[in-house]
Amino acid sequence: MHMEYFKKIPKPVFRYYDPARLVLGKPMGEHLPFAMAWWHNLGSAGRDMFGAETADKSFGARGGAMKLAKAKADAGFEFMERLGLRYFCFHDLDLAPEADTIAETNERLDEISDYILEKMKATGIRCLWGTANLFNNPRYMNGAGSSDSAEVYCFAAAQIKKALDLTVKLGGRGYVFWGGREGYETLLNTDMKLELENVALLMRMAVAYGRSIGFKGDFYIEPKPKEPMKHQYDFDAATAIGFLRAWGLDKDFKLNIEANHATLAGHTFQHELRVAAINGMLGSIDANQGDLLLGWDTDEFPCDIYETTLAMYEVLKAGGLSGGFNFDAKTRRPSNTFEDMFHAFALGMDSYALGLIKAAALIEDGRLDAFMQERYASWRSGIGAEIRSGGMTLERLAERAESLGRPAPPESGRQEYLQRIVNEILFERA
Ligand code: XUL
Ligand code: CO
């Protein structure tokens, strides 16, 4: 029997998150399948490029890599149970560290995944998605799928193959490609065309292998424009969608949109969600937030209710997610206690719960929808409907324009009126 890590910490009392509460006729718990990111919660201990760890994530383990791996799993499941989290996400090497050879690493992964599987059965906690860490080892310094080295590419393939095995074994809903080092530092040494083709070939092989071992879930690209590389190929949602379509990968892939990655790309989170949704590719969300004064990926727990409301508005309008909400977030370096981890998740879960409640209120209120209906009314009848049906020619439209004489100017976009509605719903009603 393992020790208990968190029993002295009071269970957080949620202010808004209540899995049984019905929102638009569906329990909040179903709207919000929350997940713990194995790497941050059980691994990040506050190290940054200026200083050493401030937190202790050794979980009392002594005597080797597998002892620590199991202690992490014990702590992780205890943590998820205490918070009512029903999912986790992992990289292969979060579960057990890399050994000297692929065979030894895979043995470690087999052992730890057996151990985790038992815990999943005992608790009912499930796997949201798995992935391979193709960015930590120095061999990936020039990329994995986009490496200059065909041998490195083979290593990446071996890791993806095993990570897919693990994802299937643990029943993951999805499999993520985050192209952490798939990009470049300078074009002076980069054959961009060859690199992009190779990334696509690797994804194709991953789909073929995944389907051959019974993986029925979605593959995801998680776009991010930069960091660690100066430029990353999966820059943003639109770029990733174009790439997937160009390579015929769009039937098997969707996107995993991360809030902080959106802001690094110079977009709002809402924008990235909308782009994914209108292309039928909104799969899953990495629920965090950045600091707009900083140009890097701070992976903070989400607390901005305006942003979670607009995010949930997009999710509700898209009919929900096939994936879930992974808190790809870590406590700040000075928040170095176990108690801080609970506050962090309670903050994130409540922020999304309140965002969901407010987004549902915006939809039920109906004024935003009514305005949109009115705004685009000219496309539903007459010449607008004819254009939309696709049967129009430029000549006929030109004739039509001439017959109009001077066209009426468009109506006001009424942005401030709409923003008042959002504020009214955010702050004047519970
Ligand atoms: C890095 C990031 C990753 C992915 C999984 O910015 O978001 O943790 O979510 O590799
Ligand atoms: Co992420």
Side-chain angles (χ1 to χ4, degrees):
M1 190 54 205
H2 68 81
M3 63 190 275
E4 285 187 286
Y5 296 97
F6 308 116
K7 68 168 184 253
K8 292 211 184 89
I9 298 169
K11 273 196 184 177
V13 178
F14 293 106
R15 297 279 298 131
Y16 306 102
Y17 181 63
D18 169 2
R21 173 169 169 177
L22 290 183
V23 179
L24 300 178
K26 190 162 109 175
M28 193 182 264
E30 280 176 39
H31 281 287
L32 298 171
F34 288 133
M36 177 190 80
W38 206 274
W39 55 101
H40 281 314
N41 204 42
L42 306 173
S44 303
R47 185 193 303 279
D48 68 14
M49 61 264 247
F50 299 101
E53 296 180 346
T54 55
D56 180 1
K57 296 259 171 102
S58 66
F59 300 108
R62 299 271 175 284
M66 291 313 288
K67 287 254 167 55
L68 176 58
K70 285 181 184 167
K72 274 191 191 181
D74 293 339
F77 277 85
E78 190 193 328
F79 185 85
M80 289 185 277
E81 276 204 289
R82 234 173 142 68
L83 266 169
L85 286 165
R86 292 178 298 124
Y87 293 90
F88 64 89
C89 298
F90 71 96
H91 301 82
D92 50 355
L93 303 179
D94 301 335
L95 304 185
E98 199 167 357
D100 289 338
T101 64
I102 293 176
E104 278 174 82
T105 304
N106 287 353
E107 261 173 46
R108 287 182 177 185
L109 292 171
D110 290 339
E111 183 184 338
I112 193 69
S113 53
D114 284 344
Y115 190 73
I116 290 171
L117 200 54
E118 286 306 311
K119 291 185 169 289
M120 292 172 72
K121 283 184 192 146
T123 58
I125 288 170
R126 296 194 279 166
C127 173
L128 186 63
W129 52 256
T131 187
N133 181 328
L134 303 176
F135 43 88
N136 187 67
N137 192 297
R139 79 170 69 94
Y140 298 124
M141 72 178 187
N142 296 335
S146 63
S147 179
D148 54 311
S149 158
E151 290 187 2
V152 168
Y153 191 93
C154 294
F155 266 87
Q159 252 185 278
I160 293 170
K161 177 173 176 286
K162 187 66 183 174
L164 277 163
D165 290 339
L166 293 170
T167 302
V168 170
K169 177 171 174 179
L170 301 179
R173 274 198 198 183
Y175 182 87
V176 164
F177 280 87
W178 169 58
R181 294 197 191 269
E182 314 294 25
Y184 61 81
E185 294 297 327
T186 171
L187 283 174
L188 293 174
N189 65 11
T190 302
D191 185 339
M192 188 192 272
K193 184 167 183 290
L194 175 132
E195 291 195 2
L196 282 166
E197 286 167 3
N198 285 349
V199 170
L201 289 171
L202 190 58
M203 288 181 176
R204 274 195 187 161
M205 289 188 268
V207 170
Y209 179 72
R211 298 305 181 214
S212 80
I213 60 166
F215 176 62
K216 300 212 166 47
D218 289 319
F219 289 85
Y220 301 121
I221 282 185
E222 182 179 322
K224 185 178 182 182
K226 56 187 168 190
E227 198 203 334
M229 294 306 252
K230 167 200 163 84
H231 176 91
Q232 283 168 197
Y233 294 134
D234 301 326
F235 193 93
D236 60 2
T239 311
I241 290 166
F243 172 84
L244 290 170
R245 293 213 173 119
W247 288 93
L249 291 160
D250 49 311
K251 300 286 170 294
D252 293 285
F253 273 79
K254 290 194 166 83
L255 300 183
N256 181 37
I257 301 292
E258 176 163 327
N260 203 166
H261 296 179
T263 48
L264 287 177
H267 301 307
T268 60
F269 184 26
Q270 188 186 15
H271 168 95
E272 288 292 84
L273 294 170
R274 179 78 62 93
V275 170
I278 63 172
N279 286 286
M281 287 210 194
L282 179 56
S284 204
I285 284 180
D286 269 12
N288 63 11
Q289 73 180 42
D291 184 323
L292 296 181
L293 299 182
L294 300 174
W296 66 91
D297 194 12
T298 55
D299 283 341
E300 297 173 33
F301 277 87
C303 70
D304 180 339
I305 306 302
Y306 209 100
E307 188 168 270
T308 57
T309 299
L310 296 180
M312 289 312 301
Y313 187 74
E314 297 301 319
V315 171
L316 289 175
K317 288 280 183 187
L321 299 176
S322 51
F325 297 80
N326 168 42
F327 288 110
D328 191 356
K330 58 189 179 214
T331 54
R332 298 303 83 198
R333 188 167 190 264
S335 303
N336 59 352
T337 68
F338 282 166
E339 192 173 342
D340 290 311
M341 285 158 53
F342 281 89
H343 284 303
F345 273 82
L347 172 69
M349 291 161 80
D350 265 341
S351 296
Y352 266 86
L354 185 53
L356 168 67
I357 293 165
K358 296 296 182 181
L362 278 171
I363 289 170
E364 280 176 331
D365 173 85
R367 280 176 288 172
L368 296 187
D369 278 333
F371 179 71
M372 287 279 261
Q373 282 293 315
E374 195 187 307
R375 186 167 199 226
Y376 293 97
S378 73
W379 295 98
R380 287 196 299 275
S381 62
I383 189 73
E386 282 184 68
I387 296 169
R388 299 281 298 157
S389 73
M392 264 294 164
T393 63
L394 215 54
E395 295 91 315
R396 284 178 60 202
L397 293 184
E399 267 169 38
R400 171 75 187 210
E402 275 177 42
S403 78
L404 288 174
R406 193 187 284 266
E411 301 285 332
S412 162
R414 301 189 79 187
Q415 179 170 334
E416 297 79 5
Y417 158 74
L418 300 169
Q419 288 169 326
R420 287 185 65 208
I421 295 172
V422 174
N423 277 0
E424 179 195 319
I425 288 182
L426 275 174
F427 299 110
E428 288 177 27
R429 296 190 215 162

